[in-house]
């Protein structure tokens, strides 16, 4: 099973701050996908195939990476971005990272 | 607009069975793979099952293999999850999700249905 390790577990960012979340895979994967989950709601696809923004996702978000190391970056933090972000791989069955909780400072 | 609506959850005793349903609309259901994903209270996400668009292939997480069965009825635009021999660790919110391209990600999720296994 491919294990995904997300870091940090929790972080706080101020409005306007640049934020980078990372996801490391225990084995190489072809793509990484990211989901946003706000409190009390179901997850939403946020970034797919490493760097493609899902419909409606603001362009302050971006994704990058390859092999075993991937990241999600927010260029300028906004209030609405406070949520938990999960990475997920589908190269070998499907596994999720434990999530990064992003809070507003 | 894509909509996925789950139902069938509830409180059950350990060892019992339950069948979840997910009614899909807003897309050609018979053309897409579908998944079940669960989330234990205050925990992360766990993928548990995938069924191909034509039911030709089904895959399960080890944690549910042999106990859970995924199925679909394309004439009813409905996805199912039959859960047997339920355990306390199966307590979770269960989401159905539509496959993105190549079965590799989940592009639409339902609102979820809660299953609680407790004596």
């Amino acid at each position: 099973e491919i294990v995904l390790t997300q870091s940090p577990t929790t972080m706080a960012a101020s409005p306007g701050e640049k934020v980078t979340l990372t996801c490391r895979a225990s084995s190489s994967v072809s793509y990484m996908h990211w989901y946003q989950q706000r409190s009390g709601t179901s997850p939403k696809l946020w970034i797919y195939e490493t760097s493609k923004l899902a419909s409606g996702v603001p362009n302050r978000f971006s994704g990058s990476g390859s092999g075993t190391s991937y990241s999600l970056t927010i260029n300028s933090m906004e209030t609405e971005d406070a949520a938990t972000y999960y990475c997920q791989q589908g190269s070998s069955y499907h596994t999720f990272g434990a999530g990064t909780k992003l809070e507003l400072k | 607009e894509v909509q996925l609506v789950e139902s069938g959850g509830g409180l059950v005793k350990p060892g019992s069975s339950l069948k979840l349903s997910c009614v899909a609309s807003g897309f050609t259901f018979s053309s897409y793979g579908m998944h079940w994903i669960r989330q234990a209270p205050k925990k992360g996400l766990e993928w548990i099952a995938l069924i191909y668009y034509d039911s030709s292939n089904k895959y399960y997480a080890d944690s549910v293999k042999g106990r859970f069965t995924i199925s679909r009825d394309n004439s009813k635009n409905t996805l199912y999850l039959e859960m047997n021999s339920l355990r306390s660790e199966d307590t979770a919110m269960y989401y159905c999700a539509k496959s993105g391209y190549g079965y590799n990600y989940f592009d639409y999720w339902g609102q979820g249905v809660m299953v609680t296994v407790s004596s």
Side-chain angles (χ1 to χ4, degrees), chain B residues 35-54:
Chain B
H35 304 259
W36 286 100
I37 297 154
R38 68 183 180 184
Q39 186 171 33
K42 304 291 187 188
K43 299 292 185 184
L45 300 164
E46 179 188 17
W47 170 85
I48 55 173
L50 157 65
I51 185 168
Y52 276 19
Y53 69 100
D54 59 355

PDB file of all heavy atoms in Angstrom, chain B residues 35-54:
ATOM      1  N   HIS B  35     -17.374   5.059  -6.681  1.00  0.00           N
ATOM      2  CA  HIS B  35     -16.641   4.652  -5.484  1.00  0.00           C
ATOM      3  C   HIS B  35     -17.469   4.868  -4.225  1.00  0.00           C
ATOM      4  O   HIS B  35     -18.362   5.713  -4.196  1.00  0.00           O
ATOM      5  CB  HIS B  35     -15.374   5.512  -5.320  1.00  0.00           C
ATOM      6  CG  HIS B  35     -14.437   5.510  -6.474  1.00  0.00           C
ATOM      7  ND1 HIS B  35     -13.279   4.749  -6.495  1.00  0.00           N
ATOM      8  CD2 HIS B  35     -14.467   6.199  -7.636  1.00  0.00           C
ATOM      9  CE1 HIS B  35     -12.637   4.969  -7.628  1.00  0.00           C
ATOM     10  NE2 HIS B  35     -13.335   5.844  -8.340  1.00  0.00           N
ATOM     11  N   TRP B  36     -17.080   4.139  -3.196  1.00  0.00           N
ATOM     12  CA  TRP B  36     -17.504   4.438  -1.822  1.00  0.00           C
ATOM     13  C   TRP B  36     -16.258   4.812  -1.017  1.00  0.00           C
ATOM     14  O   TRP B  36     -15.215   4.128  -1.112  1.00  0.00           O
ATOM     15  CB  TRP B  36     -18.205   3.258  -1.170  1.00  0.00           C
ATOM     16  CG  TRP B  36     -19.592   3.022  -1.686  1.00  0.00           C
ATOM     17  CD1 TRP B  36     -19.979   2.094  -2.613  1.00  0.00           C
ATOM     18  CD2 TRP B  36     -20.786   3.718  -1.296  1.00  0.00           C
ATOM     19  NE1 TRP B  36     -21.345   2.184  -2.834  1.00  0.00           N
ATOM     20  CE2 TRP B  36     -21.860   3.160  -2.039  1.00  0.00           C
ATOM     21  CE3 TRP B  36     -21.077   4.748  -0.402  1.00  0.00           C
ATOM     22  CZ2 TRP B  36     -23.176   3.598  -1.906  1.00  0.00           C
ATOM     23  CZ3 TRP B  36     -22.381   5.186  -0.269  1.00  0.00           C
ATOM     24  CH2 TRP B  36     -23.424   4.619  -1.017  1.00  0.00           C
ATOM     25  N   ILE B  37     -16.369   5.856  -0.247  1.00  0.00           N
ATOM     26  CA  ILE B  37     -15.288   6.371   0.584  1.00  0.00           C
ATOM     27  C   ILE B  37     -15.902   6.668   1.941  1.00  0.00           C
ATOM     28  O   ILE B  37     -17.036   7.148   2.016  1.00  0.00           O
ATOM     29  CB  ILE B  37     -14.693   7.653  -0.032  1.00  0.00           C
ATOM     30  CG1 ILE B  37     -14.068   7.334  -1.394  1.00  0.00           C
ATOM     31  CG2 ILE B  37     -13.658   8.290   0.898  1.00  0.00           C
ATOM     32  CD1 ILE B  37     -14.012   8.515  -2.338  1.00  0.00           C
ATOM     33  N   ARG B  38     -15.166   6.394   3.013  1.00  0.00           N
ATOM     34  CA  ARG B  38     -15.743   6.661   4.332  1.00  0.00           C
ATOM     35  C   ARG B  38     -14.804   7.517   5.168  1.00  0.00           C
ATOM     36  O   ARG B  38     -13.603   7.628   4.893  1.00  0.00           O
ATOM     37  CB  ARG B  38     -16.071   5.354   5.047  1.00  0.00           C
ATOM     38  CG  ARG B  38     -14.865   4.518   5.470  1.00  0.00           C
ATOM     39  CD  ARG B  38     -15.332   3.204   6.102  1.00  0.00           C
ATOM     40  NE  ARG B  38     -14.204   2.370   6.517  1.00  0.00           N
ATOM     41  CZ  ARG B  38     -14.345   1.143   7.023  1.00  0.00           C
ATOM     42  NH1 ARG B  38     -15.552   0.607   7.177  1.00  0.00           N
ATOM     43  NH2 ARG B  38     -13.271   0.452   7.371  1.00  0.00           N
ATOM     44  N   GLN B  39     -15.392   8.094   6.214  1.00  0.00           N
ATOM     45  CA  GLN B  39     -14.635   8.972   7.119  1.00  0.00           C
ATOM     46  C   GLN B  39     -15.144   8.750   8.524  1.00  0.00           C
ATOM     47  O   GLN B  39     -16.285   9.125   8.853  1.00  0.00           O
ATOM     48  CB  GLN B  39     -14.802  10.438   6.700  1.00  0.00           C
ATOM     49  CG  GLN B  39     -13.958  11.407   7.482  1.00  0.00           C
ATOM     50  CD  GLN B  39     -13.994  12.804   6.881  1.00  0.00           C
ATOM     51  OE1 GLN B  39     -15.002  13.234   6.319  1.00  0.00           O
ATOM     52  NE2 GLN B  39     -12.881  13.512   6.978  1.00  0.00           N
ATOM     53  N   ALA B  40     -14.330   8.113   9.359  1.00  0.00           N
ATOM     54  CA  ALA B  40     -14.685   7.914  10.759  1.00  0.00           C
ATOM     55  C   ALA B  40     -14.739   9.275  11.447  1.00  0.00           C
ATOM     56  O   ALA B  40     -14.086  10.230  11.004  1.00  0.00           O
ATOM     57  CB  ALA B  40     -13.673   6.995  11.432  1.00  0.00           C
ATOM     58  N   PRO B  41     -15.502   9.390  12.528  1.00  0.00           N
ATOM     59  CA  PRO B  41     -15.640  10.679  13.226  1.00  0.00           C
ATOM     60  C   PRO B  41     -14.291  11.294  13.588  1.00  0.00           C
ATOM     61  O   PRO B  41     -13.435  10.615  14.169  1.00  0.00           O
ATOM     62  CB  PRO B  41     -16.439  10.314  14.472  1.00  0.00           C
ATOM     63  CG  PRO B  41     -17.232   9.119  14.058  1.00  0.00           C
ATOM     64  CD  PRO B  41     -16.340   8.344  13.132  1.00  0.00           C
ATOM     65  N   LYS B  42     -14.106  12.530  13.179  1.00  0.00           N
ATOM     66  CA  LYS B  42     -12.886  13.296  13.460  1.00  0.00           C
ATOM     67  C   LYS B  42     -11.629  12.678  12.832  1.00  0.00           C
ATOM     68  O   LYS B  42     -10.515  12.985  13.271  1.00  0.00           O
ATOM     69  CB  LYS B  42     -12.668  13.414  14.975  1.00  0.00           C
ATOM     70  CG  LYS B  42     -13.835  14.014  15.721  1.00  0.00           C
ATOM     71  CD  LYS B  42     -14.004  15.473  15.406  1.00  0.00           C
ATOM     72  CE  LYS B  42     -15.080  16.092  16.308  1.00  0.00           C
ATOM     73  NZ  LYS B  42     -15.394  17.472  15.879  1.00  0.00           N
ATOM     74  N   LYS B  43     -11.808  11.817  11.855  1.00  0.00           N
ATOM     75  CA  LYS B  43     -10.670  11.150  11.230  1.00  0.00           C
ATOM     76  C   LYS B  43     -10.565  11.527   9.752  1.00  0.00           C
ATOM     77  O   LYS B  43     -11.352  12.321   9.232  1.00  0.00           O
ATOM     78  CB  LYS B  43     -10.805   9.625  11.363  1.00  0.00           C
ATOM     79  CG  LYS B  43     -10.838   9.132  12.790  1.00  0.00           C
ATOM     80  CD  LYS B  43      -9.507   9.317  13.486  1.00  0.00           C
ATOM     81  CE  LYS B  43      -9.529   8.694  14.875  1.00  0.00           C
ATOM     82  NZ  LYS B  43      -8.260   8.951  15.603  1.00  0.00           N
ATOM     83  N   GLY B  44      -9.587  10.921   9.078  1.00  0.00           N
ATOM     84  CA  GLY B  44      -9.371  11.183   7.661  1.00  0.00           C
ATOM     85  C   GLY B  44     -10.222  10.304   6.769  1.00  0.00           C
ATOM     86  O   GLY B  44     -11.117   9.583   7.218  1.00  0.00           O
ATOM     87  N   LEU B  45      -9.928  10.372   5.490  1.00  0.00           N
ATOM     88  CA  LEU B  45     -10.698   9.683   4.465  1.00  0.00           C
ATOM     89  C   LEU B  45     -10.107   8.320   4.151  1.00  0.00           C
ATOM     90  O   LEU B  45      -8.890   8.154   4.115  1.00  0.00           O
ATOM     91  CB  LEU B  45     -10.720  10.537   3.189  1.00  0.00           C
ATOM     92  CG  LEU B  45     -11.337  11.913   3.349  1.00  0.00           C
ATOM     93  CD1 LEU B  45     -10.972  12.800   2.166  1.00  0.00           C
ATOM     94  CD2 LEU B  45     -12.848  11.809   3.497  1.00  0.00           C
ATOM     95  N   GLU B  46     -10.986   7.350   3.926  1.00  0.00           N
ATOM     96  CA  GLU B  46     -10.561   5.987   3.577  1.00  0.00           C
ATOM     97  C   GLU B  46     -11.376   5.517   2.389  1.00  0.00           C
ATOM     98  O   GLU B  46     -12.603   5.359   2.481  1.00  0.00           O
ATOM     99  CB  GLU B  46     -10.756   5.037   4.760  1.00  0.00           C
ATOM    100  CG  GLU B  46     -10.338   3.604   4.436  1.00  0.00           C
ATOM    101  CD  GLU B  46     -10.702   2.603   5.520  1.00  0.00           C
ATOM    102  OE1 GLU B  46     -11.555   2.901   6.386  1.00  0.00           O
ATOM    103  OE2 GLU B  46     -10.135   1.481   5.490  1.00  0.00           O
ATOM    104  N   TRP B  47     -10.702   5.263   1.268  1.00  0.00           N
ATOM    105  CA  TRP B  47     -11.379   4.667   0.120  1.00  0.00           C
ATOM    106  C   TRP B  47     -11.708   3.216   0.450  1.00  0.00           C
ATOM    107  O   TRP B  47     -10.885   2.499   1.021  1.00  0.00           O
ATOM    108  CB  TRP B  47     -10.456   4.720  -1.101  1.00  0.00           C
ATOM    109  CG  TRP B  47     -10.967   3.925  -2.257  1.00  0.00           C
ATOM    110  CD1 TRP B  47     -11.859   4.329  -3.207  1.00  0.00           C
ATOM    111  CD2 TRP B  47     -10.624   2.569  -2.594  1.00  0.00           C
ATOM    112  NE1 TRP B  47     -12.096   3.306  -4.093  1.00  0.00           N
ATOM    113  CE2 TRP B  47     -11.364   2.225  -3.737  1.00  0.00           C
ATOM    114  CE3 TRP B  47      -9.787   1.622  -2.014  1.00  0.00           C
ATOM    115  CZ2 TRP B  47     -11.263   0.969  -4.341  1.00  0.00           C
ATOM    116  CZ3 TRP B  47      -9.679   0.370  -2.599  1.00  0.00           C
ATOM    117  CH2 TRP B  47     -10.418   0.053  -3.760  1.00  0.00           C
ATOM    118  N   ILE B  48     -12.920   2.759   0.089  1.00  0.00           N
ATOM    119  CA  ILE B  48     -13.267   1.379   0.417  1.00  0.00           C
ATOM    120  C   ILE B  48     -13.686   0.528  -0.775  1.00  0.00           C
ATOM    121  O   ILE B  48     -13.513  -0.694  -0.740  1.00  0.00           O
ATOM    122  CB  ILE B  48     -14.334   1.279   1.534  1.00  0.00           C
ATOM    123  CG1 ILE B  48     -15.591   2.063   1.192  1.00  0.00           C
ATOM    124  CG2 ILE B  48     -13.761   1.739   2.862  1.00  0.00           C
ATOM    125  CD1 ILE B  48     -16.699   1.832   2.209  1.00  0.00           C
ATOM    126  N   ALA B  49     -14.214   1.119  -1.844  1.00  0.00           N
ATOM    127  CA  ALA B  49     -14.631   0.264  -2.957  1.00  0.00           C
ATOM    128  C   ALA B  49     -14.799   1.047  -4.247  1.00  0.00           C
ATOM    129  O   ALA B  49     -15.154   2.229  -4.221  1.00  0.00           O
ATOM    130  CB  ALA B  49     -15.937  -0.462  -2.626  1.00  0.00           C
ATOM    131  N   LEU B  50     -14.555   0.348  -5.357  1.00  0.00           N
ATOM    132  CA  LEU B  50     -14.714   0.895  -6.710  1.00  0.00           C
ATOM    133  C   LEU B  50     -15.462  -0.118  -7.568  1.00  0.00           C
ATOM    134  O   LEU B  50     -15.192  -1.317  -7.478  1.00  0.00           O
ATOM    135  CB  LEU B  50     -13.342   1.154  -7.323  1.00  0.00           C
ATOM    136  CG  LEU B  50     -13.236   1.208  -8.876  1.00  0.00           C
ATOM    137  CD1 LEU B  50     -14.009   2.386  -9.444  1.00  0.00           C
ATOM    138  CD2 LEU B  50     -11.776   1.246  -9.311  1.00  0.00           C
ATOM    139  N   ILE B  51     -16.372   0.368  -8.395  1.00  0.00           N
ATOM    140  CA  ILE B  51     -17.030  -0.479  -9.383  1.00  0.00           C
ATOM    141  C   ILE B  51     -16.927   0.210 -10.742  1.00  0.00           C
ATOM    142  O   ILE B  51     -17.144   1.423 -10.857  1.00  0.00           O
ATOM    143  CB  ILE B  51     -18.501  -0.759  -9.002  1.00  0.00           C
ATOM    144  CG1 ILE B  51     -19.142  -1.746  -9.986  1.00  0.00           C
ATOM    145  CG2 ILE B  51     -19.322   0.524  -8.903  1.00  0.00           C
ATOM    146  CD1 ILE B  51     -20.494  -2.291  -9.498  1.00  0.00           C
ATOM    147  N   TYR B  52     -16.547  -0.541 -11.757  1.00  0.00           N
ATOM    148  CA  TYR B  52     -16.443   0.011 -13.095  1.00  0.00           C
ATOM    149  C   TYR B  52     -17.825   0.375 -13.631  1.00  0.00           C
ATOM    150  O   TYR B  52     -18.856  -0.091 -13.115  1.00  0.00           O
ATOM    151  CB  TYR B  52     -15.757  -0.986 -14.024  1.00  0.00           C
ATOM    152  CG  TYR B  52     -14.247  -0.960 -13.975  1.00  0.00           C
ATOM    153  CD1 TYR B  52     -13.555  -0.408 -12.920  1.00  0.00           C
ATOM    154  CD2 TYR B  52     -13.486  -1.515 -14.999  1.00  0.00           C
ATOM    155  CE1 TYR B  52     -12.167  -0.399 -12.885  1.00  0.00           C
ATOM    156  CE2 TYR B  52     -12.106  -1.508 -14.985  1.00  0.00           C
ATOM    157  CZ  TYR B  52     -11.450  -0.951 -13.923  1.00  0.00           C
ATOM    158  OH  TYR B  52     -10.077  -0.947 -13.900  1.00  0.00           O
ATOM    159  N   TYR B  53     -17.839   1.131 -14.722  1.00  0.00           N
ATOM    160  CA  TYR B  53     -19.085   1.642 -15.279  1.00  0.00           C
ATOM    161  C   TYR B  53     -20.066   0.527 -15.651  1.00  0.00           C
ATOM    162  O   TYR B  53     -21.276   0.704 -15.525  1.00  0.00           O
ATOM    163  CB  TYR B  53     -18.783   2.505 -16.519  1.00  0.00           C
ATOM    164  CG  TYR B  53     -18.284   1.728 -17.709  1.00  0.00           C
ATOM    165  CD1 TYR B  53     -19.144   1.393 -18.741  1.00  0.00           C
ATOM    166  CD2 TYR B  53     -16.960   1.317 -17.800  1.00  0.00           C
ATOM    167  CE1 TYR B  53     -18.697   0.671 -19.838  1.00  0.00           C
ATOM    168  CE2 TYR B  53     -16.506   0.585 -18.883  1.00  0.00           C
ATOM    169  CZ  TYR B  53     -17.377   0.263 -19.903  1.00  0.00           C
ATOM    170  OH  TYR B  53     -16.938  -0.462 -20.973  1.00  0.00           O
ATOM    171  N   ASP B  54     -19.512  -0.627 -16.051  1.00  0.00           N
ATOM    172  CA  ASP B  54     -20.355  -1.729 -16.510  1.00  0.00           C
ATOM    173  C   ASP B  54     -20.349  -2.905 -15.536  1.00  0.00           C
ATOM    174  O   ASP B  54     -20.755  -4.011 -15.891  1.00  0.00           O
ATOM    175  CB  ASP B  54     -19.865  -2.205 -17.874  1.00  0.00           C
ATOM    176  CG  ASP B  54     -18.428  -2.673 -17.842  1.00  0.00           C
ATOM    177  OD1 ASP B  54     -17.778  -2.544 -16.777  1.00  0.00           O
ATOM    178  OD2 ASP B  54     -17.925  -3.166 -18.854  1.00  0.00           O
TER     179      ASP B  54
END
